[in-house]
Amino acid sequence: MGITRRNFIKSTIIIVGGIVATPHFTDQELMCGCGCLDCYMQADFMKSLEKIRVEMNRPLKLSSAKRCSSHNQAVSSTGAHGPHTDHGDGGQAVDILISGSDALRLMEVARKYGMSGIGVKQSGKNRFIHLDNLGNATGQPRPWVWSYT
């Protein structure tokens, strides 16, 4: 049986105008939270994120993906540059709203697909897991797991 158009679209990472979207993540989910049109994500990162989503077999709600430098400076302790921005190895980080046993499972699956930076915030109202695949380019040892206060 040949591959249908529907199956091709569902199994392919699509790059249109610099936007890297997958069957489970839309360009709207990947856009900067400030409302600008900055939404370029690195293709290898998105391939891994899509594999994580498929193995988790549940929706993964992104609270943050791509960020422009000014928005990153406003919301992150890393300043204007970081794994969510375009500078250096940017465009390869997401924050996923998830908690409890699902968060623990997400961390395990994320490691399997090459996520080397895992940030954990599991207290308060907005519980999330940060995922990135920066590798050792940051000067920090990897794999690296940290918690947010």
Side-chain angles (χ1 to χ4, degrees):
M1 179 176 165
I3 189 165
T4 66
R5 181 177 183 272
R6 180 181 174 103
N7 287 339
F8 175 77
I9 290 171
K10 286 185 150 215
S11 66
T12 304
I13 292 186
I14 303 165
I15 303 174
V16 179
I19 298 168
V20 180
T22 71
H24 292 100
F25 297 100
T26 67
D27 55 347
Q28 290 83 13
E29 290 177 285
L30 303 173
M31 284 186 180
C32 182
C34 77
C36 73
L37 299 179
D38 198 351
C39 58
Y40 176 77
M41 298 292 288
Q42 292 196 12
D44 287 342
F45 177 82
M46 291 306 299
K47 287 176 187 175
S48 295
L49 187 62
E50 179 65 16
K51 289 175 184 175
I52 292 166
R53 164 55 179 87
V54 168
E55 185 161 329
M56 289 293 293
N57 195 30
R58 60 159 287 176
L60 298 177
K61 183 167 175 52
L62 304 182
S63 63
S64 183
K66 183 64 177 71
R67 296 179 190 154
C68 66
S69 294
S70 59
H71 184 64
N72 199 68
Q73 186 154 6
V75 301
S76 175
S77 63
T78 64
H81 309 298
H84 290 271
T85 66
D86 265 341
H87 298 76
D89 289 328
Q92 58 191 95
V94 293
D95 297 339
I96 300 170
L97 295 173
I98 195 165
S99 63
S101 62
D102 288 334
L104 182 59
R105 183 162 177 263
L106 174 62
M107 292 170 60
E108 293 169 354
V109 172
R111 288 284 305 128
K112 178 178 176 180
Y113 291 106
M115 296 299 160
S116 59
I118 300 175
V120 181
K121 183 176 183 295
Q122 293 294 294
S123 63
K125 184 176 179 180
N126 295 317
R127 297 172 184 213
F128 68 89
I129 300 291
H130 164 97
L131 300 177
D132 70 55
N133 66 348
L134 294 180
N136 289 322
T138 63
Q140 296 178 336
R142 292 289 177 134
W144 192 256
V145 178
W146 65 92
S147 65
Y148 297 96
T149 56

